[in-house]
Amino acid sequence: MHLYRSLLLITGLLTVHLAPAQFRSRAVRWSADGNATLSSTRNAIVRTDVRSGTETELVSVAQLTPTGSKTPVTVADFAFSSDSNTVLIFTNTARVWRYNTRGDYYVLTRKNADGSLGTLRQVGANQPSQSMLYAKLSPDGKRVAYVSKNNLFSEEIATRKTTQLTTDGTRRRINGTFDWAYEEEFGCRDGFRWSPDSKQLLYWQVDASKIRDFLMINNTDSIYSYTIPVEYPKVGESPSPARLGVVSATGGQTKWLAIPGDPAQHYLVRAEWFPSTKATGNELIIQQLNRKQNESTLYVCQPAKNTVTPIFKETDNAWIDIKARWNGDDPTGWEWTNGGNSFIWVSEKDGWRHIYQLSRDGKSQTLLTPGNYDMAEMERIDERSGGNGYVYFTASPDNATQRYLFRVPLNGSGKAERLSPANQAGTHGYEVSPNGQIAMHTFTNATTPPSRQWVSLPDHAPLRANAGARPTQARGKNIRFFTVTTSENVTLDGWMALPPAFDSTKRYPIVFQVYGEPAAVTTNDVFSAGNNDLFMGDMLKEGYIYAALDNRGTPALKGAAWRKSIYRQIGRMNIRDQALGAKALFARHAFIDTSRVAVWGWSGGGSTTLNLLFQYPGLYQTGIAVAAVANQLTYDNIYQERYMGLPQENREDFVAGSPITHAKGLKGNLLYIHGTGDDNVHYANAEMLLDELIKHNKLFQFIAYPNRSHGIYEGAGTRQHLSTMYTDFLKKNCPPGAR
């Protein structure tokens, strides 16, 4: 349940598009020298010098227009070869589960050997339209590899000769990409890598043949209903076995790597080639997790010698997070330093999420970020001559709700240096250039709308006065950030947005937004804090207090013990923290009307809402739960086993934490909402919960959205209807206004 991403989709903060790994999915695509950005502008590809703003057209509209056509291809994304002469274009995209990763590709040769303009042609022209995924140019720019219908292909650009590298791909035997669970929970989508010498490809093969299908049913798109199968491993089911193979780019037999361990009880979450082949030939590095995800092993592999050597291992009493956690849900790439003789690694082994530099054999480890604080995300590794490079990262040692840019020397000789301005308290984001000298800086806090500006580093000086808006404070927003300590001596972060005409001598209804699981926090100091996009109108002006608390187990920058204390406790510890936090808040503020308390959440937040309403019926009178996991035994194995263990060993924890177990406790007003086409949190959760509520003669309201997915946004009028239902129910059962 990678619910953080789901929440972003819900609130409109994430566009439903994800380009292949070669096409960098972050906000800025840099030129190789780090002084300019590349973008698709006015149907051309343009280079923009960051300091001057000067635009240079690299690929014209005419070059992007196929022979015989009057219109250019629409550029969804693009990638240049290392010599910049070949351009790979991604177009005509289609959605796969959550993101537009499937589509068509064109390759453009900008100039021929004789200096004449090259041609644009379609890659994989014999493949079905919109069937290709993750196409990538080889490092030498002479080939393109791609996946189509779960098989891997290699195409020579000059001759157009295509070689099918795998032939056994089916819906359940997946080459070069991943199944639903790997994609959703590990961020693994692009499943193949070119070797540095362009002669070989490493690829994943996932065998989902033993994974049972969950059948979603479509009742609306034809007179006779039909089922939509999703290979979906429920918690307690063994994972899809995965293996890694190496094949020649010109075809031939695959060499399968002899990685230790039962593939049906392990995950292969990362794999990359070493960057250089000069010293030792083509070598690979692989990260393997055991099924419980509390043991991580790194292996170095030499395919030519068929050797697999473990070089680094760590264990945890709860779970080990992978790169996707601190890299924007993208596990691809390896952070090499010293020409591949060392690499950057992130670990929580000392109780904090720290950055280390490891030698390529794993024997030498240098802690780069000592101290009692967590790194949030790594932004850039800037290697400079003389060994004086830096690692740039975001963190917030003093306030877990905020983010700032820091850097530390790669040689491990210095402490973290803060680069974000001291006079801008809030949440800073960065896209740091490859040379470490420029960054796109974004800034927001609870009263400041997001703004962005180009800055130089390390001085953080604006580069151009007119290049990006300066932060301006919103007027009239009354929001307070606070901490509250529960009766169990747990201190929680929170915010509370108050009505604009707030009168502390009166009593107001309060609405809590909750999440509460290990995938997301709700109390970050950002402009969206205090805003409720599902409410039609302005709920603060209507006379509501809107609030959020973050319990133990949420991924706040408070140390590993905070985050991992929820292990085997989802549905219990987080629920108790939320309820006791609310009680402490009520005791502090007499202006909160405790007879008008509502709570709502989506996905993991929906589960938290149900549990709060069922387990603490005297505290919360009204709840709105959207797309909730009502029964933890229905969810996928990767997420649920990571945080809860194996039901074969501790089934009682899954049962005790499931809302369905406590449904008989409902006394207040419940609105439950679910999409019947939800491939993430299956609609079966809704019917199981409804059945239990009916059994105990509990009254509730329920709405099912036909064929809508986890985000419930597809179809005409859907979001307006959802907002109308939400607002009407809240107003009727938790009336607004001061009393």
Side-chain angles (χ1 to χ4, degrees):
M1 184 163 35
H2 200 293
L3 301 179
Y4 174 63
R5 185 168 65 249
S6 301
L7 285 173
L8 292 180
L9 284 166
I10 291 157
T11 56
L13 298 177
L14 180 68
T15 304
V16 186
H17 169 78
L18 184 73
Q22 184 171 353
F23 301 150
R24 197 158 178 260
S25 60
R26 303 188 76 177
V28 177
R29 179 180 285 101
W30 293 98
S31 61
D33 61 11
N35 295 317
T37 64
L38 309 179
S39 63
S40 174
T41 306
R42 298 178 296 277
N43 247 0
I45 298 176
V46 174
R47 181 187 191 274
T48 304
D49 185 273
V50 173
R51 291 181 174 85
S52 67
T54 302
E55 291 187 353
T56 304
E57 189 175 80
L58 302 179
V59 179
S60 68
V61 172
Q63 288 175 292
L64 291 172
T65 304
T67 303
S69 174
K70 295 182 180 180
T71 57
V73 297
T74 301
V75 180
D77 227 325
F78 60 90
F80 282 83
S81 59
S82 58
D83 64 4
S84 297
N85 192 48
T86 304
V87 191
L88 186 62
I89 309 294
F90 184 42
T91 187
N92 191 29
T93 68
R95 180 177 161 193
V96 179
W97 303 125
R98 276 145 214 87
Y99 303 104
N100 283 38
T101 53
R102 184 164 49 84
D104 298 329
Y105 289 87
Y106 285 78
V107 65
L108 170 68
T109 304
R110 295 172 67 196
K111 286 187 179 181
N112 295 319
D114 60 5
S116 61
L117 289 178
T119 57
L120 177 75
R121 70 169 185 83
Q122 188 170 359
V123 176
N126 294 327
Q127 301 294 341
S129 178
Q130 290 187 317
S131 72
M132 297 168 60
L133 300 97
Y134 311 116
K136 291 192 285 292
L137 291 167
S138 58
D140 63 10
K142 295 180 180 180
R143 287 183 173 270
V144 179
Y146 58 85
V147 171
S148 180
K149 292 189 173 182
N150 288 340
N151 276 312
L152 185 62
F153 295 80
S154 171
E155 185 171 323
E156 192 174 26
I157 294 174
T159 64
R160 306 189 182 187
K161 180 182 178 182
T162 300
T163 304
Q164 184 168 342
L165 303 180
T166 67
T167 59
D168 56 351
T170 64
R171 181 173 77 86
R172 290 178 168 278
R173 186 174 295 277
I174 304 164
N175 296 298
T177 182
F178 295 90
D179 64 358
W180 187 97
Y182 257 91
E183 175 183 321
E184 174 69 11
E185 306 303 354
F186 291 134
C188 293
R189 298 173 182 86
D190 169 13
F192 67 93
R193 310 283 187 268
W194 277 106
S195 63
D197 61 8
S198 301
K199 294 180 180 180
Q200 296 175 298
L201 287 134
L202 166 74
Y203 71 95
W204 275 260
Q205 183 184 83
V206 178
D207 179 7
S209 62
K210 295 182 181 179
I211 301 300
R212 296 176 63 182
D213 279 333
F214 182 84
L215 301 177
M216 298 189 297
I217 188 165
N218 186 320
N219 285 311
T220 63
D221 291 346
S222 68
I223 299 301
Y224 284 91
S225 62
Y226 58 91
T227 58
I228 302 167
V230 182
E231 66 278 357
Y232 189 105
K234 299 280 186 179
V235 61
E237 298 290 327
S238 294
S240 301
R243 57 179 178 170
L244 286 160
V246 174
V247 64
S248 169
T250 58
Q253 189 173 359
T254 295
K255 291 183 178 179
W256 298 107
L257 303 178
I259 301 170
D262 180 355
Q265 299 299 320
H266 290 83
Y267 299 103
L268 300 174
V269 292
R270 292 180 67 189
E272 303 290 341
W273 296 91
F274 276 79
S276 174
T277 62
K278 293 180 181 178
T280 58
N282 286 336
E283 282 191 330
L284 297 157
I285 189 166
I286 293 165
Q287 183 183 12
Q288 180 195 62
L289 290 180
N290 66 332
R291 178 174 171 179
K292 287 187 177 181
Q293 300 169 66
N294 58 9
E295 183 179 286
S296 169
T297 307
L298 300 186
Y299 295 97
V300 169
C301 307
Q302 291 184 310
K305 299 179 181 179
N306 198 27
T307 61
V308 178
T309 306
I311 64 163
F312 181 73
K313 185 174 183 176
E314 60 180 310
T315 60
D316 194 281
N317 291 330
W319 70 85
I320 293 174
D321 283 324
I322 67 163
K323 182 183 177 183
R325 167 66 83 182
W326 43 268
N327 194 51
D329 194 38
D330 181 5
T332 60
W334 213 274
E335 292 67 40
W336 299 107
T337 54
N338 299 321
N341 291 313
S342 57
F343 59 90
I344 298 300
W345 195 248
V346 174
S347 172
E348 295 177 313
K349 63 183 179 179
D350 71 350
W352 300 91
R353 184 187 296 140
H354 279 317
I355 302 173
Y356 295 80
Q357 185 166 227
L358 274 63
S359 59
R360 69 179 286 153
D361 60 8
K363 295 179 180 179
S364 173
Q365 303 175 33
T366 303
L367 173 61
L368 301 183
T369 57
N372 294 339
Y373 70 93
D374 289 308
M375 179 273 286
E377 289 197 14
M378 195 180 305
E379 302 297 337
R380 178 66 68 182
I381 298 171
D382 168 28
E383 284 198 278
R384 301 180 184 183
S385 59
N388 296 318
Y390 294 92
V391 178
Y392 293 81
F393 63 96
T394 52
S396 186
D398 302 318
N399 186 334
T401 70
Q402 299 175 339
R403 299 289 185 274
Y404 302 97
L405 183 66
F406 292 80
R407 70 174 186 178
V408 291
L410 274 169
N411 60 18
S413 64
K415 68 177 184 179
E417 173 190 7
R418 175 170 159 169
L419 305 182
S420 298
N423 63 349
Q424 289 184 2
T427 299
H428 296 258
Y430 295 86
E431 291 279 351
V432 180
S433 66
N435 59 27
Q437 298 175 11
I438 301 170
M440 168 57 75
H441 168 229
T442 60
F443 173 70
T444 183
N445 61 30
T447 57
T448 305
S451 62
R452 66 178 190 171
Q453 191 174 43
W454 291 108
V455 298
S456 59
L457 294 177
D459 60 359
H460 213 282
L463 286 175
R464 286 184 280 143
N466 62 345
R470 295 182 179 182
T472 56
Q473 195 168 37
R475 294 180 180 178
K477 189 173 183 181
N478 188 358
I479 184 168
R480 304 175 182 179
F481 279 75
F482 60 85
T483 60
V484 63
T485 301
T486 73
S487 59
E488 295 183 345
N489 202 32
V490 178
T491 299
L492 311 178
D493 287 314
W495 52 252
M496 185 165 53
L498 302 174
F502 176 70
D503 182 345
S504 63
T505 66
K506 296 183 177 180
R507 293 166 68 84
Y508 295 84
I510 188 168
V511 179
F512 287 97
Q513 173 196 343
V514 295
Y515 185 77
E517 295 203 10
V521 295
T522 60
T523 59
N524 281 342
D525 189 1
V526 294
F527 191 65
S528 59
N531 299 336
N532 186 345
D533 292 337
L534 272 187
F535 189 90
M536 295 191 75
D538 188 327
M539 71 181 301
L540 301 181
K541 288 182 179 179
E542 295 259 3
Y544 287 105
I545 296 172
Y546 195 38
L549 297 168
D550 269 324
N551 50 262
R552 286 174 292 174
T554 53
L557 303 183
K558 293 184 173 184
W562 170 276
R563 291 186 290 273
K564 296 179 180 181
S565 60
I566 201 171
Y567 185 61
R568 292 176 54 171
Q569 290 285 327
I570 292 176
R572 291 184 286 175
M573 173 184 284
N574 53 330
I575 305 308
R576 189 167 65 253
D577 279 359
Q578 286 284 336
L580 296 183
K583 286 183 178 181
L585 198 63
F586 298 164
R588 180 187 295 180
H589 299 298
F591 55 74
I592 297 174
D593 187 346
T594 57
S595 70
R596 290 182 290 164
V597 179
V599 58
W600 87 277
W602 198 307
S603 197
S607 307
T608 300
T609 297
L610 292 173
N611 267 320
L612 288 171
L613 207 60
F614 299 162
Q615 295 185 41
Y616 292 88
L619 197 61
Y620 304 90
Q621 295 85 40
T622 299
I624 303 174
V626 188
V629 176
N631 183 345
Q632 291 188 26
L633 296 173
T634 68
Y635 203 62
D636 79 70
N637 55 1
I638 297 178
Y639 180 95
Q640 213 67 41
E641 293 178 1
R642 177 191 302 154
Y643 303 126
M644 291 294 290
L646 305 183
Q648 291 90 334
E649 298 175 358
N650 57 298
R651 184 184 179 90
E652 65 277 7
D653 294 330
F654 294 82
V655 174
S658 292
I660 194 171
T661 301
H662 308 282
K664 57 182 176 294
L666 176 64
K667 293 181 180 178
N669 313 296
L670 169 63
L671 171 61
Y672 187 78
I673 300 165
H674 215 121
T676 70
D678 192 336
D679 60 281
N680 187 337
V681 179
H682 296 150
Y683 177 69
N685 279 273
E687 297 206 351
M688 289 179 185
L689 180 64
L690 301 189
D691 202 37
E692 188 68 13
L693 290 167
I694 291 166
K695 171 184 172 182
H696 295 286
N697 196 29
K698 299 298 180 179
L699 301 184
F700 57 90
Q701 284 188 237
F702 171 69
I703 181 169
Y705 282 93
N707 302 326
R708 270 61 166 191
S709 67
H710 195 55
I712 311 183
Y713 57 87
E714 304 89 345
T718 297
R719 187 43 60 110
Q720 181 181 9
H721 188 272
L722 178 60
S723 294
T724 303
M725 286 287 299
Y726 178 100
T727 307
D728 180 71
F729 185 84
L730 185 62
K731 284 185 173 182
K732 285 181 179 178
N733 295 286
C734 183
R739 292 178 180 174

